[in-house]
């Protein structure tokens, strides 16, 4: 088996940190890849494909997370996750859309 390893440090930039919605987005994205994906905060390592484990990181705004992927699509997984973090989990888009919705 030809496993490739890739890693990167990602910073949580959204004001609410990694709560249920961003964790769900991370897991859904991570599950699209064959690679094993793990996040580490300090000495706490979790499975990147488990929403419950991600939430145990208690990653608030400014937290640095190390993400490591091992598998045939490791680099693609890391790049996709970095893009998700860079876009702040599209949280600004939701609030902008919500403000357009009519109030009941």
């Amino acid at each position: 088996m030809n496993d490739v390893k890739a890693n990167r440090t990602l910073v949580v930039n959204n004001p609410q940190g990694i709560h249920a919605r961003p964790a769900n987005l991370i897991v859904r994205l991570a599950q699209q890849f064959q690679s094993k994906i793990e996040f580490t905060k300090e000495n706490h390592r979790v499975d990147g494909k488990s929403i419950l484990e991600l939430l145990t990181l208690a990653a608030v705004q400014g937290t640095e997370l190390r993400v490591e992927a091992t598998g045939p699509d490791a680099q693609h997984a890391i790049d996709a996750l970095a893009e998700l973090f860079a876009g702040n989990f599209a949280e600004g888009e939701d609030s902008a859309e919500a403000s357009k919705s009519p109030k009941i």
Side-chain angles (χ1 to χ4, degrees):
M1 189 167 182
N2 188 15
D3 280 344
V4 175
K5 292 185 178 185
N7 62 69
R8 190 176 302 180
T9 299
L10 303 175
V11 178
V12 178
N13 288 320
N14 62 319
Q16 295 80 25
I18 305 290
H19 56 85
R21 185 182 168 283
N24 183 45
L25 292 173
I26 292 168
V27 168
R28 288 174 45 194
L29 182 60
Q31 288 177 341
Q32 295 176 20
F33 297 96
Q34 295 177 18
S35 295
K36 178 180 180 181
I37 299 171
E38 295 179 311
F39 284 83
T40 305
K41 176 185 162 191
E42 298 162 0
N43 293 326
H44 186 60
R45 179 180 293 265
V46 301
D47 181 354
K49 296 182 180 181
S50 166
I51 191 168
L52 291 177
E53 289 192 27
L54 280 172
L55 291 173
T56 66
L57 292 173
V60 297
Q61 184 178 28
T63 300
E64 289 188 359
L65 299 175
R66 187 79 175 162
V67 59
E68 297 176 7
T70 305
D73 52 3
Q75 189 60 55
H76 292 296
I78 295 294
D79 292 344
L81 288 164
E83 187 173 321
L84 181 64
F85 273 70
N88 289 335
F89 311 100
E91 293 210 325
E93 295 172 16
D94 285 350
S95 60
E97 287 298 317
S99 66
K100 293 178 185 176
S101 300
K103 303 282 183 198
I104 297 176

